Amino acid sequence: MKKFDFCLHISKKSCNFAGDLGEVSTMEEKSRKNLRYFYYEYRSEVVFGLVLTAAVVVSYMLSPLIPTDIFRKFVSPFEISAVAVLSGVCAWFLARHHEGMRQRWISAWIMGALTLIFIYGYYIRLHGNTVREAAEGLFSFEGWEMVYGDIIAWFLLAYPSELLRPRWLTWQKALTRLLPVIIIGVIDYFVPWDLRWLLAIVPVIWVWLLLHHVRSYHKYCEDHFSSLEDTDERWVIRYLVMIFVLGGSYGYLCISDEPNRIFTQQWLMFFVLLYSNEQVIFRPVAWIERAEQKEARDENDEASDEISKVMADVSSTLRAEYRRALEEWMETERPYLKGDFRLSDMKQVVPINRTYLSQFIKEEYDCTFYQFVTNFRIEEAKRLMRESPDMRVQEIAEHCGFSSATVFGRVFLRETGLTPTEWLAQSGS
């Protein structure tokens, strides 16, 4: 069976591209293979979250050993000063080295706003006696203190929101998101109702919305790119893991009666800001920024735009011609072997813009562009392993367009349910 015929055959199974038809025969096998893939795909994020959670738990266990007076006079002011200085330095650096990137400008504004908030927090720590000798236990924070925490949470979630949805964040939308917090805080302050539980729920809603944006972002990446390794999705997932741990710590603050409970939250905030800003400052230019720049040039191609307008009512004959040309190009030129192969590269043989190209792939092959290309790469890898069983995995990965042997192994496991070594042993038996 030709490679492309194989691709079409498997695409009917929800474009899972599982490989040989006998590899997945029961729902139990599918579930087991999905669990194995999840372990290989996200084990670093899971380990990261578990280690950070363990560090937070140990910190809460040890914080009572700090004398309360020393904590109030020295430790707490030092921690919040360090957080304020870090956010201020990051704001200055990002403003000086934004390189025309909107995301970095927004991050600079966010760090500047957080600096002012932390300075205010430092002031109330010294003069507001917020670290009380005897906390109230359940919801030991007052309503205005929880508003303060919610505002910090909103700023921490603003940057990934803009990263996942470029040009989405505006002043109007920012105020709209913050408005419920302000309203609830004012009502809680002036009326006898206890609305602090609502203030605790609002950040959870924001995180849920951000998770929805992650899913949409992942779908966009699969529709337009042949590799997901250069996207910011995995960094955002690690960032959300930190936010979850930070949120869990904040929840404990709301119910704890330990006077020194803020110690852990403050050093954890310092760590989150340090890690996230290191990623923003030293990570290569954000993937979505590069994608927009490149594909903005594609969208300016008037000839392609004109053709795409006609494609809505295109004849089946022309569709078949485009499909034949694409399949022949994939078989003969094998462009999928290039690691930076993009959807817009297909315009060489299918002269329509990238938006309709993505739709064309979905309609004709019932899969995303990423799945379409991945199947070819996996089939090429299988061919190499059959013909050259002594070939190193790294060499196979590089030849087939994967960025590393680790990425190749992870994708191969997802598509076949087996590691390359297991597949080779099974195919040879």
Side-chain angles (χ1 to χ4, degrees):
M1 183 182 291
K2 289 178 60 178
K3 184 189 299 182
F4 203 85
D5 293 335
F6 178 82
C7 171
L8 300 183
H9 183 70
I10 304 191
S11 67
K12 301 304 180 182
K13 292 180 175 289
S14 302
C15 210
N16 188 44
F17 291 136
D20 295 331
L21 296 178
E23 289 182 0
V24 179
S25 57
T26 66
M27 292 300 296
E28 290 184 0
E29 290 179 22
K30 289 182 179 180
S31 177
R32 185 166 59 253
K33 291 173 181 178
N34 287 337
L35 287 174
R36 288 190 67 194
Y37 167 70
F38 180 85
Y39 170 74
Y40 280 100
E41 180 74 6
Y42 296 109
R43 59 181 173 180
S44 61
E45 283 74 22
V46 172
V47 170
F48 176 80
L50 291 176
V51 171
L52 187 59
T53 301
V56 169
V57 171
V58 171
S59 178
Y60 272 115
M61 294 174 62
L62 296 178
S63 61
L65 300 179
I66 306 174
T68 302
D69 289 341
I70 293 178
F71 175 75
R72 292 181 58 186
K73 293 179 180 179
F74 302 105
V75 178
S76 182
F78 173 79
E79 282 188 316
I80 199 167
S81 298
V83 173
V85 169
L86 174 63
S87 58
V89 170
C90 291
W92 172 82
F93 189 90
L94 287 167
R96 289 287 303 272
H97 303 280
H98 59 85
E99 299 177 1
M101 294 175 57
R102 187 172 187 269
Q103 283 97 338
R104 286 192 178 183
W105 262 120
I106 289 177
S107 186
W109 278 101
I110 291 172
M111 288 299 105
L114 284 175
T115 302
L116 297 178
I117 293 174
F118 293 139
I119 290 175
Y120 174 70
Y122 179 82
Y123 173 80
I124 62 177
R125 286 287 187 277
L126 293 180
H127 303 284
N129 195 30
T130 58
V131 185
R132 292 177 287 275
E133 291 288 346
E136 300 172 12
L138 186 64
F139 281 102
S140 56
F141 283 153
E142 296 179 6
W144 69 267
E145 292 178 290
M146 297 186 71
V147 170
Y148 178 86
D150 283 0
I151 292 175
I152 292 177
W154 184 91
F155 277 109
L156 290 176
L157 294 172
Y159 177 77
S161 296
E162 170 63 21
L163 186 67
L164 296 173
R165 302 180 68 186
R167 297 179 178 83
W168 174 84
L169 190 62
T170 62
W171 288 109
Q172 293 82 356
K173 291 178 179 177
L175 294 176
T176 301
R177 286 281 180 92
L178 283 174
L179 191 59
V181 172
I182 305 301
I183 293 175
I184 295 172
V186 170
I187 296 176
D188 179 80
Y189 186 81
F190 286 103
V191 300
W193 307 333
D194 188 356
L195 301 179
R196 289 176 295 176
W197 62 276
L198 284 176
L199 293 172
I201 290 176
V202 171
V204 177
I205 297 175
W206 291 340
V207 172
W208 181 85
L209 291 173
L210 194 58
L211 288 173
H212 177 72
H213 297 334
V214 171
R215 292 181 59 186
S216 300
Y217 181 79
H218 180 83
K219 182 177 181 300
Y220 176 86
C221 294
E222 285 205 345
D223 285 343
H224 295 84
F225 291 85
S226 63
S227 173
L228 304 183
E229 297 306 313
D230 293 331
T231 70
D232 288 314
E233 179 188 358
R234 298 183 69 84
W235 175 79
V236 172
I237 291 175
R238 288 192 294 272
Y239 185 81
L240 286 179
V241 168
M242 291 189 294
I243 295 299
F244 272 115
V245 175
L246 190 65
S249 175
Y250 175 74
Y252 178 76
L253 293 183
C254 292
I255 62 175
S256 173
D257 58 359
E258 168 58 45
N260 297 346
R261 65 196 184 282
I262 301 177
F263 168 77
T264 301
Q265 188 76 353
Q266 289 177 341
W267 75 251
L268 184 58
M269 177 67 70
F270 183 88
F271 173 78
V272 170
L273 291 180
L274 182 65
Y275 177 85
S276 60
N277 280 282
E278 186 274 336
Q279 292 292 301
V280 174
I281 294 171
F282 298 106
R283 193 177 70 248
V285 179
W287 167 84
I288 196 68
E289 200 77 22
R290 295 198 302 268
E292 287 184 336
Q293 292 170 1
K294 184 179 188 301
E295 293 175 331
R297 294 193 293 269
D298 296 336
E299 291 298 301
N300 289 332
D301 188 336
E302 296 181 2
S304 294
D305 287 339
E306 190 63 31
I307 292 175
S308 67
K309 295 176 183 178
V310 181
M311 286 298 291
D313 301 316
V314 71
S315 66
S316 58
T317 303
L318 186 54
R319 276 180 175 273
E321 177 61 26
Y322 282 152
R323 181 166 172 164
R324 183 202 59 77
L326 176 60
E327 295 175 7
E328 182 179 345
W329 183 59
M330 294 291 285
E331 288 288 345
T332 57
E333 299 296 328
R334 300 198 296 176
Y336 53 85
L337 297 182
K338 296 186 299 181
D340 59 349
F341 181 51
R342 296 175 181 264
L343 177 69
S344 53
D345 294 334
M346 286 186 173
K347 290 173 62 177
Q348 299 178 42
V349 291
V350 183
I352 54 180
N353 69 10
R354 66 179 179 87
T355 301
Y356 196 82
L357 264 173
S358 176
Q359 189 64 27
F360 179 80
I361 295 294
K362 287 181 180 179
E363 292 176 356
E364 295 297 316
Y365 304 108
D366 190 28
C367 63
T368 64
F369 171 69
Y370 170 76
Q371 293 167 328
F372 180 78
V373 175
T374 296
N375 179 68
F376 280 99
R377 289 174 171 171
I378 293 298
E379 287 304 302
E380 176 67 14
K382 289 179 179 179
R383 183 189 66 81
L384 287 176
M385 287 191 289
R386 281 192 297 261
E387 297 178 359
S388 305
D390 295 331
M391 193 173 183
R392 295 172 57 244
V393 174
Q394 181 66 40
E395 295 174 342
I396 295 175
E398 292 176 356
H399 174 81
C400 297
F402 295 99
S403 59
S404 67
T406 302
V407 173
F408 166 61
R410 190 166 61 233
V411 175
F412 194 93
L413 175 63
R414 181 185 63 210
E415 301 301 329
T416 67
L418 300 170
T419 65
T421 303
E422 291 171 342
W423 183 89
L424 184 60
Q426 188 179 88
S427 62
S429 60

